[in-house]
Amino acid sequence: MLPSCLPRKEAGAQCDRLAGSVETEVEQDKPLTAGQLPEWDQEVRRLMGAGRLAEANVLFDKVVAHHPPTADQLVRASLLVSRAVAAWRLGRIPLALELAAEGWTDLGSANAEGPAAAYALGLLGYLLEGIGNRRAALDTLRMSVRLAREAGDPEILAANLQRLGGTLNFRAAELRDDAARPVFEEARLVLAEGLRLNVESRYRALLGAYGRALAGLGELAAAAEAGRQVLRLGTEDEDRWAIAVGEWVLAAVSRARGDLIDARTRAARAVANAEQINDVSLILRFSQDLADICAALDDPVGEAEALRRSVAAARTAADTLREGLGQAMEQRRLAAAAQRLAMAAQEAAARDPLTGLVNRLGLERTAPAMLARAAEDGRTAWLVLVDVDWFKSVNDDAGHAAGDAALRQIAQLLRHECRSDDLVARWAGDEFVVLLGDGSGDRDAGPVVAERIRASVAGHDWTMVLGTARQPTVSIGVASGPAGLDELFAAADLVLYQAKRQGRNRVAVYQELDDISQLATER
């Protein structure tokens, strides 16, 4: 028998208005509580569940343009991670990772307990599983369940139990019978606990996962009953996620009963519905099961098609991991510059959106620790101030879009010429700052790096970016000494303008190291 639950309420209003027609809504600015989403976020979820991804994408642009309407840091974290999941489902991988990192940062900098933390961790575990970080996903999901139990919020606990149980089902489905059984049994217990909470909003998701656990344990009649009920509820509400899961459960039942023809049909429907909502985790699991069923039927064409879909889903997950690795490497550099006192995602929040470099705020936050460390180690601190020559003319001749592209290219050249522990920042407009992380007592380190930067920009082929417009060069001021950021910047700024007056496209070095501390007050 299936665990009892509250009777299902009638479906809510149909998602029939165009996403682009949504204007100002009062709900978007109301304070939130743990597990609660603003109306626009709820609409995005409904559109995705119905497979209306184009409309969901349009509305999601409006959603992310609004800051989370809450002062509670943990509630804000839960909303950010929820939006990260939506971005991932919509194929917007860089945005998904950025939102997840920001939400995770909020979690890490607050006392991670209570319903909001539990809700955020549950979503984060689901996201980590989807992008392939599987060990971290399972640990995060178990923690989310523990926090939800402690918080005593039944709706959040039900959601987290469903995510944990579903993840365990996926793991068990990959194993042979003897190894799979204890994992399916754990999933069954977790999901039964969730169903006993009588949380109506999570019923079909819990029931679908519960049915798959029952199928894995050989309780086929109860599993079939669960699968049919989930399929019916999903069809009534145009919930393609529920339809996909219901068909998956029934495919597993038919396969266990030896009815491979029906199993193939249902598994193909499960894959098709999962693709409609772009749920990579479901596509990957369901298509692999479909391939196994086709192989058992000696259907090489069906098997090849199923494997093609599985490979495509796996490629999406791999692309996500590669994107995440690239961001993690950049964040690692920022974390080192910040003396590793904060997570890399915290530093990413102080990043220039055009170039991807640290912005002025990020530089001002990070520089004091770097300079203090250099002083403690007896090393020379170097600041390199880079200014693009005739940049207004570049904008006038080639247009602002080309000017922006040139700034992004210069940022790439700066990264290439600097080391991993150097801090590269966009100060403002066409000015950049490099703070060397390890001068090693070398009194020529700053000028050497500055000359490499100047030569790299001067020798770069700008034709693809600017066409026949004026080709940019840079003038650079360099300063060093046992001083703070303001003093170093003032000294570098002073000699930068000397380089400008002397003809541009050159490096000038501030020589009066002993007097540098007076510059900030004199300037």
Side-chain angles (χ1 to χ4, degrees):
M1 294 293 293
L2 301 177
S4 61
C5 70
L6 289 174
R8 190 177 65 88
K9 293 180 181 176
E10 292 297 317
Q14 293 295 316
C15 308
D16 55 2
R17 70 178 185 268
L18 290 175
S21 68
V22 179
E23 299 298 337
T24 304
E25 299 191 26
V26 176
E27 291 295 326
Q28 192 70 14
D29 298 319
K30 287 185 177 180
L32 300 175
T33 58
Q36 183 184 4
L37 294 177
E39 185 173 341
W40 287 9
D41 293 78
Q42 294 178 42
E43 182 73 1
V44 169
R45 284 191 168 193
R46 287 192 291 266
L47 290 169
M48 289 193 301
R52 295 161 62 181
L53 300 184
E55 293 176 58
N57 247 314
V58 172
L59 180 56
F60 191 63
D61 285 332
K62 291 178 175 288
V63 167
V64 296
H66 289 73
H67 293 293
T70 177
D72 187 306
Q73 188 170 341
L74 290 175
V75 173
R76 178 180 182 275
S78 67
L79 182 54
L80 285 167
V81 179
S82 176
R83 290 177 177 179
V85 171
W88 172 66
R89 288 275 301 281
L90 293 170
R92 301 169 69 164
I93 292 171
L95 178 59
L97 294 171
E98 181 181 342
L99 290 167
E102 189 176 353
W104 205 343
T105 298
D106 281 351
L107 278 173
S109 61
N111 187 16
E113 60 182 21
Y119 181 73
L121 284 171
L123 287 168
L124 186 60
Y126 169 79
L127 182 61
L128 290 170
E129 177 72 11
I131 66 176
N133 194 347
R134 305 185 72 197
R135 178 180 298 178
L138 203 54
D139 291 343
T140 303
L141 287 168
R142 293 189 191 282
M143 182 184 299
S144 77
V145 168
R146 177 178 61 79
L147 290 180
R149 286 187 180 126
E150 293 172 355
D153 188 308
E155 186 157 353
I156 292 174
L157 177 56
N160 290 351
L161 288 167
Q162 181 264 316
R163 295 184 183 108
L164 176 58
T167 299
L168 290 169
N169 276 340
F170 277 17
R171 304 297 174 86
E174 300 170 355
L175 304 172
R176 295 184 180 274
D177 292 343
D178 291 344
R181 187 172 185 84
V183 184
F184 274 128
E185 179 61 29
E186 183 184 359
R188 184 188 70 80
L189 293 173
V190 164
L191 295 161
E193 178 186 352
L195 286 167
R196 286 193 297 271
L197 293 169
N198 288 334
V199 174
E200 186 177 356
S201 62
R202 306 304 304 185
Y203 173 58
R204 75 184 68 169
L206 283 161
L207 184 60
Y210 183 74
R212 184 61 184 91
L214 292 178
L217 294 169
E219 299 179 31
L220 301 183
E225 180 186 348
R228 285 191 294 268
Q229 188 173 353
V230 171
L231 184 57
R232 176 178 61 80
L233 294 174
T235 302
E236 290 174 359
D237 286 349
E238 297 183 24
D239 181 350
R240 291 188 178 274
W241 187 94
I243 294 171
V245 171
E247 294 284 12
W248 182 52
V249 172
L250 293 173
V253 171
S254 293
R255 184 179 179 186
R257 287 173 172 169
D259 188 353
L260 295 180
I261 299 297
D262 185 67
R264 179 176 59 186
T265 299
R266 292 192 178 280
R269 291 174 185 166
V271 173
N273 279 279
E275 288 176 335
Q276 285 288 317
I277 59 175
N278 197 32
D279 192 315
V280 175
S281 298
L282 297 190
I283 297 169
L284 193 59
R285 180 67 262 152
F286 296 174
S287 58
Q288 185 59 59
D289 287 355
L290 176 58
D292 293 341
I293 293 168
C294 289
L297 280 168
D298 195 21
D299 175 11
V301 175
E303 181 183 6
E305 174 60 19
L307 288 173
R308 182 193 66 76
R309 291 158 124 174
S310 178
V311 168
R315 186 181 299 117
T316 298
D319 288 345
T320 308
L321 285 176
R322 280 194 291 270
E323 180 72 30
L325 179 60
Q327 290 194 18
M329 291 175 67
E330 175 69 4
Q331 291 168 352
R332 177 67 176 80
R333 181 183 67 81
L334 296 173
Q339 205 175 13
R340 296 176 177 85
L341 293 178
M343 296 176 63
Q346 288 175 301
E347 296 304 318
R351 189 179 297 173
D352 172 49
L354 176 65
T355 63
L357 298 176
V358 171
N359 59 21
R360 179 171 180 171
L361 176 61
L363 176 67
E364 290 175 341
R365 287 178 177 174
T366 306
M370 293 182 66
L371 295 173
R373 191 164 61 249
E376 290 170 1
D377 296 345
R379 292 186 281 106
T380 301
W382 286 98
L383 185 141
V384 178
L385 179 59
V386 180
D387 185 90
V388 183
D389 296 326
W390 310 115
F391 188 69
K392 184 178 184 301
S393 297
V394 172
N395 273 333
D396 291 343
D397 294 346
H400 287 281
D404 287 348
L407 290 176
R408 285 192 292 268
Q409 187 63 60
I410 288 172
Q412 290 293 332
L413 294 173
L414 285 170
R415 287 193 186 99
H416 184 265
E417 297 302 333
C418 295
R419 299 159 300 183
S420 61
D421 58 347
D422 296 338
L423 179 61
V424 184
R426 184 184 180 194
W427 181 258
D430 58 349
E431 281 190 325
F432 299 85
V433 171
V434 179
L435 193 60
L436 301 192
D438 182 10
S440 301
D442 184 354
R443 294 176 65 86
D444 295 324
V448 168
V449 172
E451 178 56 30
R452 283 208 311 262
I453 292 170
R454 186 207 63 76
S456 178
V457 175
H460 186 68
D461 183 359
W462 293 97
T463 306
M464 293 295 293
V465 177
L466 299 175
T468 59
R470 178 190 291 271
Q471 307 294 293
T473 59
V474 292
S475 297
I476 303 176
V478 184
S480 68
L485 177 64
D486 289 344
E487 291 86 358
L488 287 170
F489 186 91
D493 193 36
L494 182 66
V495 292
L496 169 65
Y497 282 95
Q498 292 177 6
K500 292 278 189 183
R501 289 193 296 269
Q502 291 168 6
R504 293 177 168 80
N505 189 22
R506 64 190 62 228
V507 174
V509 182
Y510 188 85
Q511 300 292 347
E512 300 178 26
L513 301 180
D514 295 337
D515 298 333
I516 194 171
S517 60
Q518 302 176 14
L519 274 173
T521 54
E522 294 174 356
R523 191 169 181 264

